[in-house]
Amino acid sequence: NAGVMQNPRHLVRRRGQEARLRCSPMKGHSHVYWYRQLPEEGLKFMVYLQKENIIDESGMPKERFSAEFPKEGPSILRIQQVVRGDSAAYFCASGLGRGGFYEQYFGPGTRLTVT
Amino acid sequence: DAKTTQPPSMDCAEGRAANLPCNHSTISGNEYVYWYRQIHSQGPQYIIHGLKNNETNEMASLIITEDRKSSTLILPHATLRDTAVYYCIVSMRSSGSARQLTFGSGTQLTVLP
């Protein structure tokens, strides 16, 4: 059973470009979470999605960031007009979301570097 | 969610038990204790969780005090590959949607040869 997959693993963007990060959850998981880890800091929650629904986006910056989890295909975290402060590791996690269990299974992350 | 307090770093000799403490004095009755770890640059890995009883799985044991204000994660025979940052997280279990995890600073465990 494949784990959570994220791609690309490394992404370099110039200031002002767009970054698209993709996350494929584990088979059978319908809940996806995105976290960001700035250099030398802990993970911070960004957004929680179910298929075609954003459940909680309280951790998302108000501008330039958006996320989706379509009926078919991976979840996408999109960052428009990237700035140097967006350089970070972005982790996706998936879970069953049923029964209240919070075991979340994390992917290997996408390391975004903005030059 | 209740706040947790962990020591910033600990060392452990290879082959010995690693005991990682966590204080969560404001935990409420319906909140669980979760442990995750993050090996350098990798995604966090779920280890174990519990409510009030001690728990054990293939990775670790979790000991929760009777008043639930603190807990200890035990790695019975630490190896070099257990070197990681260990996060203790307290979060409510609900019958509805699962909630996000709130990561603190964690404990950097270094297993020494």
Side-chain angles (χ1 to χ4, degrees), chain A residues 31 33 35 37 42-45 48 50 55-56 58 91 97 99-108 111, chain B residues 32 34 36 38 41-46 49 87 91-104:
Chain A
H31 294 235
Y33 309 78
Y35 294 81
Q37 187 170 32
L43 286 90
K44 302 294 184 190
F45 166 77
Y48 163 35
Q50 296 177 26
I55 306 302
D56 182 353
S58 58
F91 292 98
F101 286 108
Y102 301 122
E103 298 103 280
Q104 295 179 16
Y105 298 89
F106 284 79
R111 273 129 191 100
Chain B
Y32 281 65
Y34 290 80
Y36 282 75
Q38 185 175 25
S41 297
Q42 298 181 20
Q45 177 187 23
Y46 165 78
H49 75 279
Y87 297 98
S91 188
M92 190 168 62
R93 174 182 179 178
S94 78
S95 58
S97 298
R99 295 174 59 174
Q100 73 272 19
L101 299 169
T102 301
F103 289 84

Side-chain angles (χ1 to χ4, degrees), chain A residues 36 46 60-67 77-80 86 90:
Chain A
R36 176 167 68 173
M46 299 182 75
M60 286 276 272
K62 294 287 185 265
E63 298 176 350
R64 301 187 297 109
F65 285 72
S66 62
L77 179 67
R78 181 181 178 207
I79 311 172
Q80 295 179 289
D86 297 332
Y90 291 82

Side-chain angles (χ1 to χ4, degrees), chain A residues 64-77:
Chain A
R64 301 187 297 109
F65 285 72
S66 62
E68 63 177 8
F69 189 16
K71 187 176 180 181
E72 301 292 337
S75 175
I76 307 287
L77 179 67

